[in-house]
Amino acid sequence: MHSHKRQKTDSEAEKVAEAAEESLKQHPHASQNTPMKVHDEGEFAGLKRHGTTAEQAQKLESGSTNPFSGAKFSQKYFDILEVRRDLPVHAQRDQFLEIFHSTQIMVFVGETGSGKTTQIPQFVLYDEMPHLVGSQVACTQPRRVAAMSVAKRVADEMDVELGQEVGYSIRFENKTSPKTILKYMTDGMLLREAMEDHDLSRYSCIILDEAHERTLATDILMGLIKQVSVRRPDLKIIIMSATLDAEKFQTYFNDAPLLAVPGRTHPVEIYYTPEFQRDYLDAAIRTVLQIHATEDDGDILLFLTGEEEIEDACRRIALEGDELVREQNCGPLKVYPLYGSLPPHQQQKIFEPAPEKLTPNGRAGRKVIVSTNIAETSLTIDGIVYVVDPGFSKQKVYNPRIRVESLLVSPISKASAQQRAGRAGRTRPGKCFRLYTEEAFQKELVEQSYPEILRSNLASTVLELKKLGIDDLVHFDFMDPPAPETMMRALEELNYLQCLSDEGDLTALGRLASQFPLDPMLAVMLIGSPAFKCSEEILTIVALLSVPNVFVRPASARKRADEAKMAFAHPDGDHLTLLNVYDGFNSDEAHSVGLHQWCRDNFLSYRSLSSGQNVRSQLRRIMVSHDLELISPGESRNYHNYVRKALAAGFFMQAAKKRSGSKGYITVKDNQDVLIHPSTVLAVEPEWVIYNEFVLTSKNYIRTVTTVNPEWLVEFAPKYFDLKHFTNGDVKLSLERVVDKVKSDKKRKRGVDNGCKFYQ
DNA sequence: GAGCACTGC
């Protein structure tokens, strides 16, 4: 077994991040709390802010001097400018400016290939001239990679260095400077900023891009910005979306005007099956093989729901593809899986060209990519001509009654189906084979998937909203208001965590918890951990609980992977096992073997562990900045008890008791029958455990569990364990005994204490 | 004796 070691020195990533933060402190943005400076208008002399024309802007763009940086434009700039002027949005620049001038909020609809994400912010810059008034323009994206890559592209287009006039800001990286006037950022990042600056005062224009994706962060931002727009009439707002529900955005933003620009994609022919397909996986495989046997060249993209299904399909397609090559003289077929947890070098393989034909006169080779939804939005693959869409994906659902989020294979929406089909028309006209009937498409698929806010536990959202200064959550103007029960559950949970008072006001603890990019339960546990002398250990555990699973279990080596895991096992449970893994990852041994190799040897995910390391250092910095003590019981033989107590203090709402007589556990308060997930390292079933998550799959499981003493639960969360509110049963009975024992222990202790005093 | 769709701070 691996022994527990003290935390190593700060990682390299941490040092870099610290340096970045330090430099930000020294160079706060010019617009922050400083009086407006008089700027040299330079090339912009004579132009009226919020009164420019496309012609004026284009004249500046075609000039010799970059009006924002003052530098001479490069040849490369003019080359790109030519391409830009060919984009569909370009033709409507005047129209855009007219609307932009006449209104505070507008909705902009642009399909893929319209150029909206790169061009609209630049149109805004030439009209806003933010550098002259010391403001910034923000453009939000749902994903980090998008924010980074678009910023890079636009910096090139504007002929400036990335991070200067054009930059980006994402969780672990702030690539902006005092010069920055256009900032691409994740929507979550803008939300963080709003928590400190409720009026978003440094921005003169905010562009919410990809609003149709309706991420939790976008939805909250829309509600917030709608409020801010009243307080700040000078703030311009653009909501950008793909076509589908533009009207909904318009209505929500007080009938904001709309501008729509066509996209530039190739036509995609849609085929439906004549009848319902009982086995979509089988139908999908047959369709792929049939395309390969009968259709012209061009790669195939097949959408399935998850890793196991995808790996299975890949095996079967490859096998039967070989048969087609042998028996029907088909071209060679190469099959690639694609899903999020695939290591990056494997993900990269999908960009390899299709296989060469086997003989000079043979038929062309073909590439098949079998992917989850990741290929629907996050990743685009050029060269796809055929899309096979069975019409399903895994979607998160939330059951507020038992406070469980789970993944369910469900039919996709019409919008998703359209997006999937569009993937076939990126390079040339394509075909999309839908494995459902046209009638099913029309009648059974919903228009849009439910926005995330209707499918999530809202504990952390509610905390964020409170921190944003929104007191009246019941009347907060959500675009789609969450179910009252979900809201109640979140408020209740935050109250038990003492983040909200009984009146629903943010407490000091709540304010502190909101500083951490964590689920409130984890944040509270972290904040409480110095009291148990183990904040260093809890930091590690919390970090690893908030990244994807660190344990890898390939189908081909399950037994060896399980054995490797057991080498890290701690007898008290899975949380302490995570601690051992992290210490192993930071050990001299791992460094001498090489971290990648060490992870492979131990069936661990390098990606998860290093991102855990990043998260840990970010959390650690937040701890330091709020004077939360960093402390460790060190090599003490008892360290695990400190950690277990800290875990109990944070996870008291997720406790379960072994059922007397029968197998399995029963959750406290919710009274759910559950089993400990087989992935646990626990060899025996302890009486009481706390668990990290409740997963609903083939059975009800609790996953990542650690043994605790019930006395701790009652002691640390007396309000939650007020037995008056418990339903009669096994759990209540044993808790009553626990409460009695705690009481009598206290009495005895007091007696002894008094006795001592008496005799002294 | 199982399965982590995807994203974000």
Side-chain angles (χ1 to χ4, degrees):
Chain A
M1 189 188 304
H2 290 240
S3 71
H4 176 76
K5 292 197 196 83
R6 267 196 67 96
Q7 210 47 61
K8 289 271 175 229
T9 49
D10 299 358
S11 68
E12 212 46 42
E14 185 168 358
K15 283 177 201 153
V16 172
E18 260 168 22
E21 246 170 44
E22 200 48 45
S23 108
L24 263 176
K25 271 184 217 152
Q26 285 163 13
H27 309 282
H29 191 268
S31 73
Q32 270 183 324
N33 308 321
T34 47
M36 218 172 263
K37 284 185 203 148
V38 180
H39 289 78
D40 176 11
E41 294 182 353
E43 306 292 314
F44 285 101
L47 295 193
K48 188 168 162 276
R49 188 162 184 260
H50 295 161
T52 65
T53 62
E55 194 189 343
Q56 289 170 331
Q58 282 164 39
K59 200 173 154 210
L60 283 176
E61 283 175 346
S62 309
S64 59
T65 306
N66 187 328
F68 296 104
S69 70
K72 287 267 170 262
F73 277 130
S74 68
Q75 184 52 47
K76 188 177 145 209
Y77 165 84
F78 291 107
D79 294 345
I80 304 179
L81 186 60
E82 212 171 299
V83 181
R84 288 170 54 201
R85 298 247 160 114
D86 199 31
L87 286 166
V89 278
H90 179 75
Q92 271 144 296
R93 189 167 188 165
D94 257 327
Q95 243 179 309
F96 167 80
L97 286 172
E98 270 167 39
I99 299 177
F100 187 66
H101 295 156
S102 68
T103 176
Q104 184 180 13
I105 308 176
M106 72 181 282
V107 178
F108 187 96
V109 159
E111 293 168 49
T112 35
S114 63
K116 67 175 190 303
T117 303
T118 53
Q119 305 309 300
I120 294 295
Q122 296 185 67
F123 291 0
V124 169
L125 286 183
Y126 274 86
D127 187 63
E128 282 270 314
M129 309 166 219
H131 59 302
L132 299 182
V133 294
S135 73
Q136 290 185 326
V137 171
C139 180
T140 68
Q141 299 292 318
R143 283 168 290 279
R144 293 208 287 251
V145 269
M148 277 164 65
S149 57
V150 176
K152 172 87 187 74
R153 169 69 193 178
V154 173
D156 283 348
E157 290 191 359
M158 292 188 56
D159 214 15
V160 298
E161 195 190 320
L162 180 63
Q164 296 299 308
E165 284 79 2
V166 178
Y168 63 85
S169 174
I170 59 177
R171 179 165 182 184
F172 295 112
E173 201 183 357
N174 183 355
K175 208 163 174 58
T176 63
S177 73
K179 276 194 195 164
T180 303
I181 47 172
L182 172 57
K183 182 157 99 181
Y184 285 92
M185 63 206 299
T186 45
D187 44 20
M189 201 71 201
L190 186 60
L191 204 54
R192 281 277 136 184
E193 286 187 6
M195 284 165 57
E196 300 308 319
D197 173 10
H198 296 176
D199 282 349
L200 293 161
S201 53
R202 70 166 75 178
Y203 303 105
S204 54
C205 176
I206 292 174
I207 305 168
L208 294 187
D209 199 2
E210 315 289 357
H212 62 278
E213 290 196 26
R214 303 291 307 277
T215 66
L216 249 172
T218 310
D219 269 27
I220 302 171
L221 276 174
M222 285 197 291
L224 179 76
I225 282 179
K226 191 172 174 180
Q227 284 192 351
V228 174
S229 70
V230 179
R231 296 197 294 267
R232 282 195 54 199
D234 61 307
L235 178 69
K236 295 270 189 186
I237 295 152
I238 304 173
I239 309 294
M240 299 210 290
S241 156
T243 35
L244 285 131
D245 47 1
E247 249 179 63
K248 188 163 182 179
F249 292 114
Q250 284 185 274
T251 313
Y252 178 69
F253 286 104
N254 318 316
D255 298 319
L258 170 86
L259 181 61
V261 170
R264 180 172 294 161
T265 48
H266 302 274
V268 175
E269 260 182 274
I270 309 277
Y271 299 87
Y272 294 93
T273 50
E275 59 213 39
F276 171 75
Q277 301 293 309
R278 185 166 296 279
D279 183 346
Y280 72 82
L281 184 59
D282 195 59
I285 293 169
R286 274 188 286 113
T287 307
V288 166
L289 292 165
Q290 198 186 336
I291 293 169
H292 184 51
T294 60
E295 297 277 347
D296 294 340
D297 308 2
D299 300 331
I300 306 172
L301 174 61
L302 163 61
F303 285 101
L304 291 177
T305 64
E307 172 176 345
E308 196 175 281
E309 197 177 76
I310 287 171
E311 292 291 354
D312 181 32
C314 283
R315 268 191 301 275
R316 287 166 61 185
I317 293 169
L319 223 65
E320 299 202 35
D322 286 347
E323 210 166 287
L324 285 180
V325 175
R326 278 197 310 274
E327 292 169 8
Q328 296 187 36
N329 227 3
C330 286
L333 192 64
K334 190 99 178 120
V335 192
Y336 300 98
L338 176 63
Y339 44 87
S341 57
L342 212 58
H345 67 276
Q346 295 240 35
Q347 278 193 9
Q348 280 305 309
K349 285 193 179 161
I350 61 164
F351 297 108
E352 285 175 11
E356 292 288 320
K357 51 177 88 169
L358 296 171
T359 56
N361 296 325
R363 289 169 65 184
R366 199 191 300 268
K367 172 167 85 172
V368 182
I369 294 160
V370 186
S371 171
T372 60
N373 258 358
I374 194 168
E376 197 181 298
T377 46
S378 307
L379 259 167
T380 54
I381 314 149
D382 286 327
I384 298 292
V385 180
Y386 305 99
V387 162
V388 180
D389 173 22
F392 292 96
S393 71
K394 277 192 188 169
Q395 287 165 35
K396 189 170 73 181
V397 286
Y398 178 63
N399 179 342
R401 195 177 55 77
I402 51 173
R403 295 204 322 265
V404 179
E405 284 181 346
S406 50
L407 285 172
L408 212 66
V409 173
S410 334
I412 59 171
S413 63
K414 285 197 182 98
S416 276
Q418 191 179 319
Q419 176 75 10
R420 287 180 172 191
R423 294 305 195 189
R426 289 188 61 83
T427 31
R428 61 173 211 242
K431 292 181 179 176
C432 173
F433 298 89
R434 291 183 174 156
L435 304 182
Y436 36 91
T437 63
E438 183 162 12
E439 198 190 353
F441 174 81
Q442 293 299 350
K443 293 191 181 153
E444 286 163 35
L445 298 195
V446 294
E447 290 296 326
Q448 292 284 332
S449 328
Y450 264 36
E452 205 184 349
I453 198 163
L454 302 182
R455 299 182 284 120
S456 310
N457 174 347
L458 294 183
S460 95
T461 303
V462 167
L463 189 65
E464 276 164 15
L465 287 167
K466 287 280 177 184
K467 185 72 200 341
L468 286 165
I470 291 144
D471 299 320
D472 186 4
L473 292 178
V474 181
H475 296 105
F476 184 69
D477 188 4
F478 289 105
M479 195 158 161
D480 283 286
E485 192 177 0
T486 308
M487 217 61 181
M488 288 310 296
R489 274 294 191 178
L491 289 164
E492 185 190 63
E493 184 177 331
L494 289 167
N495 180 239
Y496 282 129
L497 287 171
Q498 296 180 44
C499 289
L500 293 181
S501 68
D502 292 349
E503 290 71 42
D505 297 325
L506 205 58
T507 62
L509 178 60
R511 241 182 300 280
L512 198 51
S514 74
Q515 297 292 311
F516 290 89
L518 290 171
D519 187 82
M521 208 172 344
L522 292 176
V524 166
M525 174 164 86
L526 186 56
I527 293 165
S529 62
F532 299 98
K533 298 190 171 50
C534 58
S535 50
E536 294 278 12
E537 285 72 17
I538 294 297
L539 261 173
T540 303
I541 291 172
V542 163
L544 291 189
L545 289 178
S546 46
V547 296
N549 193 358
V550 298
F551 297 105
V552 175
R553 199 165 182 260
S556 53
R558 286 188 184 157
K559 193 149 177 277
R560 279 195 296 143
D562 291 346
E563 284 163 8
K565 181 173 181 177
M566 287 315 284
F568 296 99
H570 188 285
D572 285 340
D574 301 308
H575 295 88
L576 286 145
T577 302
L578 285 175
L579 203 51
N580 287 338
V581 168
Y582 189 78
D583 286 336
F585 185 68
N586 283 283
S587 67
D588 296 336
E589 185 212 326
H591 282 274
S592 66
V593 179
L595 291 181
H596 281 102
Q597 186 58 43
W598 185 84
C599 285
R600 271 196 295 277
D601 294 346
N602 290 283
F603 289 90
L604 296 167
S605 157
Y606 172 82
R607 203 191 344 187
S608 285
L609 279 166
S610 56
S611 99
Q613 209 167 31
N614 258 331
V615 171
R616 189 187 192 282
S617 55
Q618 186 192 22
L619 299 176
R620 193 173 190 273
R621 281 196 306 280
I622 299 173
M623 295 274 285
V624 170
S625 69
H626 290 90
D627 290 324
L628 292 165
E629 193 185 5
L630 293 164
I631 181 172
S632 165
E635 304 275 359
S636 141
R637 283 181 48 181
N638 242 347
Y639 81 90
H640 57 271
N641 282 339
Y642 294 95
V643 175
R644 286 168 59 219
K645 279 188 190 175
L647 290 169
F651 277 92
F652 59 86
M653 275 183 279
Q654 298 188 354
K657 187 199 171 292
K658 193 168 154 55
R659 287 164 61 104
S660 51
S662 54
K663 239 180 102 55
Y665 284 74
I666 183 153
T667 61
V668 171
K669 251 191 181 174
D670 298 325
N671 291 313
Q672 293 284 312
D673 282 323
V674 292
L675 296 170
I676 295 185
H677 196 271
S679 62
T680 186
V681 298
L682 287 174
V684 288
E685 293 197 327
E687 270 307 294
W688 290 86
V689 293
I690 53 96
Y691 58 91
N692 178 56
E693 58 181 347
F694 187 133
V695 285
L696 250 168
T697 51
S698 54
K699 297 189 181 105
N700 287 349
Y701 288 110
I702 49 176
R703 191 159 52 191
T704 314
V705 296
T706 289
T707 69
V708 291
N709 297 353
E711 297 83 23
W712 298 341
L713 298 172
V714 188
E715 187 184 337
F716 300 150
K719 196 171 158 193
Y720 186 79
F721 287 94
D722 182 350
L723 298 179
K724 281 203 293 285
H725 308 304
F726 276 62
T727 47
N728 288 328
D730 194 18
V731 173
K732 184 170 178 174
L733 267 172
S734 25
L735 277 173
E736 276 165 354
R737 280 198 293 274
V738 170
V739 172
D740 286 344
K741 183 167 175 289
V742 169
K743 270 189 197 150
S744 65
D745 281 358
K746 267 195 186 148
K747 210 181 268 171
R748 200 167 52 235
K749 199 161 171 246
R750 225 176 8 247
V752 172
D753 286 350
N754 290 342
C756 288
K757 269 179 203 146
F758 185 76
Y759 283 111
Q760 263 170 1

